[in-house]
Amino acid sequence: MSELLETGMAPAGDFAPARSLWRRIEPAVLGAGSIVVLLLLWELLPQLVTLQAGTKMLFTTPSKIAVTLWNMIVTGKLWAPLSVSGTGFVVGLLLSVLVGLPLGVVLGRSRTLNAMFDPFVTAFNATPRLVFLPLLMLWFGLGVTAKVVIVFIGALFPILINTYEGVRNADRGLINVVRSFGGSEWDVARLVVVPNALPYIVAGLRLAIGRAILGVVVAEFFGAEDGLGVIMVQAASRYQVDVVFAGLIVFAVLSLIMTGLVKLLENRLGGWRPQRTGGE
Amino acid sequence: MEIVPTPAQEADSGEAPRRSFAARHRDKLLGILAVVLFFAAWQAIFLVVPFNKLFISKPDLIVLGLIDLIKSGALLRDLAVSAIPFICGMALATVVGVALGIVMGWRRRVGLALDPLMTVFYASPLVALSPLIVVYFGVGFGAKILIIFFLSVFPFIFNAYAGVRAVDPLLINVVRSMGGREIDLYLKVLMPSVLPYIVAGARIAIGRALIGVLVGEFFAASEGIGYAIARFGDLYALDKMFACILVIMVIAVAMTEGIRWAERTAFPWRAQ
């Protein structure tokens, strides 16, 4: 939106500079303003309306959350559970890339294999991964393995489906050129198919990150003995609302940072983005 | 696949070089073959590997468990219990999300103001708030609906928002210059343009709403399909647990593919 406004405004000399400056900063001001207003309202709510004693116990303000979060960072209480959650996240995501990428390339290149895998991909992609959690807990216990598997299943399909779409979208002419010069299927994949699919794969990675974080959170809520999600559930049962919100903020910030980094990578790889993305 | 080619299809294929039934439905047949092979292999592997029914189940036992669940009426009861908050939460998310998204798209300043806020909400794993929702609203209907609502409202907001912004300004100007009223704009320009986006949003929202149902029931419930899966897990009744998982998979596929089908039929110009 903002770059659209700027390109519209820059060459036009009719507009007063003050107005064009306002137009340029308007999105930032309005966007940040709404967040600030919401936070202020939340902060001042206890002063504006008197809360009942019961509600007061379950109520927290942004300043209290910030103090709690700061304390968790300073005392180091955050890092141990966060590293447990992070391990599950990283291992699951890595596995999903290691499996999803080659499988996506193979399914994109072979119509027969794709037809055979399609029912499974459709079924597992449509089903919320959470249904498998009780089963995975039965199989793997409360350790990191069940978490890794949940993250893996969640993140696999955006990567697999996007890789597949990118491979299918490869230029037939280029593939034929590689073939005519005696290139093998490996050469086709290396020289044409994968480079062409790269923007799709990165877009899939962005979706996968969101799903992987969701997977970590739900796995830790229901089937883990360690991790940031576990801390949050325990805090909720002790009515430490500020700790729950602090945990949420940590997860949200991590998610925003990682998707932001991948978005930068996406912009580097080309100004265009695939229309079709996997599931979510 | 007992699909017999209709006369129309016969006539169609008469023009092109004639292909056999197997060739025309090759992909579908291969898919069915793969699924059949998968279940057959699952059944057969326990002829070699020792079978431990506390660890894994077999297709024949799963089918028996499923029949048992259907006969006793437990499955239907659990599904009905889960369906009500699902429908209520989705309905609420549709109404609120579409309204908010349309306002954000139609009023430029509202869009600018709310876009970053909604992005932050959308990017943060809101499931993380579900323990709090359970603490606030107790174990029951209200908590479930809220969890489902929070998870599924954002696809509606963002898709309605994108849909309005994709409206052709030329069409708006045409309606205005022909003397159309505000209501004409909404009904004749806005709705047809936004509707495909909303349906696409619904497809994403359904998946998230299903997560909401399961989260709500794993946390705090005494009935429902999610609770049934968790309970059968605790009881080591793996045949019934697998049966419930398969039922949820079938429902999830039916709903998302149903919406995909509706998208293709109702808005064929958007088919990818």
Side-chain angles (χ1 to χ4, degrees):
Chain A
M1 195 82 201
S2 60
E3 58 267 31
L4 207 135
L5 280 174
E6 272 172 316
T7 49
M9 296 310 300
D14 320 331
F15 293 93
R19 182 170 156 70
S20 95
L21 176 71
W22 166 241
R23 290 220 90 179
R24 224 167 334 129
I25 61 168
E26 191 186 17
V29 170
L30 284 176
S34 71
I35 293 177
V36 170
V37 167
L38 190 78
L39 285 177
L40 273 180
L41 270 181
W42 187 1
E43 184 72 45
L44 295 176
L45 196 67
Q47 268 99 60
L48 299 175
V49 284
T50 44
L51 298 168
Q52 290 169 330
T55 323
K56 218 172 209 165
M57 201 168 70
L58 300 175
F59 194 81
T60 189
T61 54
S63 57
K64 273 191 212 151
I65 297 170
V67 169
T68 307
L69 184 59
W70 179 247
N71 281 337
M72 284 167 79
I73 294 173
V74 171
T75 59
K77 253 198 254 164
L78 180 67
W79 305 121
L82 189 62
S83 68
V84 172
S85 306
T87 310
F89 172 83
V90 171
V91 174
L93 195 63
L94 270 182
L95 273 179
S96 69
V97 174
L98 283 180
V99 174
L101 215 124
L103 195 57
V105 173
V106 169
L107 295 190
R109 296 293 298 149
S110 159
R111 202 181 138 203
T112 309
L113 279 179
N114 178 50
M116 295 184 77
F117 272 85
D118 187 51
F120 299 102
V121 173
T122 308
F124 278 95
N125 189 41
T127 312
R129 273 70 53 195
L130 202 52
V131 280
F132 305 112
L133 189 61
L135 184 67
L136 294 173
M137 280 160 61
L138 220 71
W139 283 351
F140 303 114
L142 296 177
V144 76
T145 318
K147 204 187 304 177
V148 166
V149 175
I150 282 282
V151 172
F152 167 73
I153 304 174
L156 174 66
F157 291 99
I159 292 173
L160 172 65
I161 293 173
N162 273 40
T163 308
Y164 167 80
E165 290 289 335
V167 168
R168 288 293 300 274
N169 198 36
D171 189 342
R172 291 225 58 89
L174 292 178
I175 293 176
N176 288 340
V177 168
V178 176
R179 285 236 180 97
S180 333
F181 281 91
S184 61
E185 183 64 27
W186 169 249
D187 291 320
V188 172
R190 191 170 53 91
L191 295 171
V192 182
V193 165
V194 172
N196 180 74
L198 215 50
Y200 288 83
I201 295 169
V202 175
L205 190 64
R206 187 161 47 82
L207 293 171
I209 286 173
R211 282 196 178 189
I213 286 193
L214 201 71
V216 169
V217 175
V218 291
E220 289 185 346
F221 276 3
F222 303 112
E225 45 196 11
D226 216 355
L228 192 55
V230 179
I231 302 281
M232 290 167 72
V233 180
Q234 286 169 353
S237 64
R238 281 192 234 114
Y239 300 119
Q240 294 171 332
V241 180
D242 43 350
V243 176
V244 180
F245 274 103
L248 175 71
I249 290 171
V250 171
F251 275 127
V253 167
L254 287 180
S255 161
L256 281 172
I257 289 176
M258 277 183 291
T259 47
L261 285 177
V262 175
K263 237 179 204 160
L264 277 183
L265 193 63
E266 256 182 289
N267 293 342
R268 267 294 177 85
L269 286 172
W272 59 282
R273 243 187 303 169
Q275 290 297 307
R276 165 106 189 250
T277 47
E280 244 161 271
Chain B
M1 282 305 285
E2 290 89 20
I3 294 176
V4 180
T6 62
Q9 280 174 322
E10 295 274 38
D12 265 4
S13 56
E15 287 175 32
R18 198 172 161 83
R19 296 185 303 153
S20 70
F21 175 80
R24 266 178 291 132
H25 298 279
R26 181 177 169 277
D27 286 4
K28 262 185 209 149
L29 289 173
L30 274 174
I32 293 163
L33 179 72
V35 174
V36 171
L37 273 180
F38 172 76
F39 281 105
W42 187 358
Q43 182 77 34
I45 195 163
F46 294 110
L47 299 174
V48 189
V49 182
F51 179 69
N52 176 1
K53 81 178 173 76
L54 296 182
F55 190 71
I56 184 82
S57 196
K58 293 195 278 193
D60 59 341
L61 294 179
I62 295 171
V63 170
L64 289 178
L66 185 61
I67 292 172
D68 194 31
L69 283 176
I70 294 172
K71 268 192 182 154
S72 68
L75 181 68
L76 216 61
R77 207 165 45 238
D78 281 330
L79 282 179
V81 166
S82 303
I84 295 167
F86 177 81
I87 293 168
C88 294
M90 277 288 281
L92 196 63
T94 313
V95 172
V96 173
V98 168
L100 195 56
I102 287 182
V103 172
M104 280 171 69
W106 200 238
R107 311 300 314 173
R108 196 181 61 92
R109 288 222 166 88
V110 178
L112 288 179
L114 291 184
D115 192 4
L117 189 65
M118 293 297 152
T119 308
V120 168
F121 278 135
Y122 195 35
S124 56
L126 285 178
V127 180
L129 283 186
S130 43
L132 270 190
I133 293 179
V134 172
V135 168
Y136 286 149
F137 295 92
V139 183
F141 199 61
K144 274 194 200 174
I145 290 185
L146 261 182
I147 293 174
I148 295 166
F149 170 77
F150 274 125
L151 279 177
S152 59
V153 74
F154 292 99
F156 284 112
I157 294 177
F158 280 103
N159 274 42
Y161 182 37
V164 175
R165 285 194 305 171
V167 169
D168 190 347
L170 190 66
L171 294 177
I172 298 176
N173 289 340
V174 168
V175 172
R176 287 229 168 105
S177 44
M178 297 291 192
R181 287 161 303 152
E182 197 74 0
I183 185 87
D184 292 318
L185 270 182
Y186 278 94
L187 290 181
K188 292 183 177 146
V189 178
L190 216 51
M191 269 330 261
S193 161
V194 176
L195 211 55
Y197 283 84
I198 294 173
V199 176
R203 181 157 47 79
I204 298 165
I206 277 181
R208 296 171 67 98
L210 280 176
I211 296 179
V213 172
L214 293 171
V215 169
E217 289 184 355
F218 282 175
F219 253 119
S222 49
E223 38 188 0
I225 190 78
Y227 174 76
I229 291 177
R231 190 192 53 208
F232 289 136
D234 292 341
L235 296 175
Y236 284 90
L238 269 94
D239 48 346
K240 289 184 178 162
M241 186 188 193
F242 269 105
C244 289
I245 291 176
L246 283 179
V247 167
I248 290 192
M249 289 182 93
V250 168
I251 291 174
V253 170
M255 282 196 293
T256 45
E257 290 304 301
I259 290 195
R260 259 186 227 282
W261 176 83
E263 279 181 272
R264 277 198 304 271
T265 338
F267 323 112
W269 62 91
R270 275 183 59 84
Q272 295 128 339

